[in-house]
Amino acid sequence: MKITRVLGLVFGILLISSMAFAAVDTVEAPAGYFVPTDAQKYDSPYYRWYNEDWGWTHNPISGTITSAKLNISGFDIDYDSGERDAVYAYDNGTPVFLGYLQGIDDTWAFTEFTLGSNFFDDIAAGLQIWLDIDTEHSSKYWAVTLAKSVITTEGDNPGNPDPGNNPVPEPSTIILMGAGLAGLGLLRKKFRKI
């Protein structure tokens, strides 16, 4: 029984500490045209039209990367009605089409793109992203607002797509939480003996 508890505690600490080494980079306001608050989502320069394409660069992520995802939070993306906002990532200086932003009218939503191993060196150096707003421009003039661009490696969660919310707890927070849970387990065991 004692061995089972100790093994469970060790496994829990290892699991939590392994989560702490997954890397996250979030680009959000005030970088470029990312909207800082939900109240400004229809304001210029954040609500951007077909001829106001733009790009941004993520911070470098160090360490060994085995998997990576890009999540972009967008508002008012009318994909089902014909809006096509193309996202590109630069692979050694060459833009590579990742796909289109997804979403519906007047809502915030993340669009997730899986980044292949060809982008891992670019992520380590600082991945560049380009947004081509309304690539299939028609008589309807589509616009989009972005709040965040999040690169996650090894399975982190990008969090809330709304602006102004920190999407992922810092690794130090996860480690502290794990240490606290381990301490509670030890205290419980001590009081059980009394």
Side-chain angles (χ1 to χ4, degrees), residues 26-80:
T26 304
V27 176
E28 57 186 306
Y33 297 103
F34 289 98
V35 68
T37 67
D38 184 65
Q40 296 170 288
K41 63 190 170 209
Y42 289 113
D43 296 347
S44 178
Y46 311 115
Y47 197 55
R48 301 188 56 81
W49 299 88
Y50 75 97
N51 60 348
E52 298 176 312
D53 306 331
W54 61 288
W56 58 93
T57 302
H58 279 267
N59 291 317
I61 295 178
S62 60
T64 303
I65 299 172
T66 57
S67 67
K69 293 187 185 297
L70 170 69
N71 285 274
I72 299 175
S73 67
F75 177 80
D76 196 28
I77 302 165
D78 299 300
Y79 183 83
D80 289 343

Side-chain angles (χ1 to χ4, degrees), residues 124-168:
L127 186 66
Q128 293 180 305
I129 307 296
W130 181 259
L131 175 65
D132 186 356
I133 301 171
D134 190 20
T135 59
E136 298 175 12
H137 176 67
S138 64
S139 59
K140 296 179 180 178
Y141 296 98
W142 302 112
V144 64
T145 302
L146 298 185
K148 297 176 187 161
S149 178
V150 182
I151 292 179
T152 59
T153 61
E154 283 70 58
D156 276 330
N157 182 338
N160 192 323
D162 291 355
N165 293 316
N166 190 357
V168 180

Side-chain angles (χ1 to χ4, degrees), residues 63-126:
T64 303
I65 299 172
T66 57
S67 67
K69 293 187 185 297
L70 170 69
N71 285 274
I72 299 175
S73 67
F75 177 80
D76 196 28
I77 302 165
D78 299 300
Y79 183 83
D80 289 343
S81 300
E83 182 176 354
R84 297 294 181 263
D85 304 315
V87 177
Y88 297 86
Y90 284 82
D91 181 12
N92 295 312
T94 303
V96 176
F97 175 70
L98 297 179
Y100 297 109
L101 291 179
Q102 303 290 314
I104 57 174
D105 188 39
D106 292 333
T107 60
W108 284 104
F110 269 121
T111 303
E112 182 175 273
F113 304 97
T114 299
L115 299 171
S117 60
N118 56 308
F119 290 110
F120 292 175
D121 60 334
D122 300 288
I123 293 169

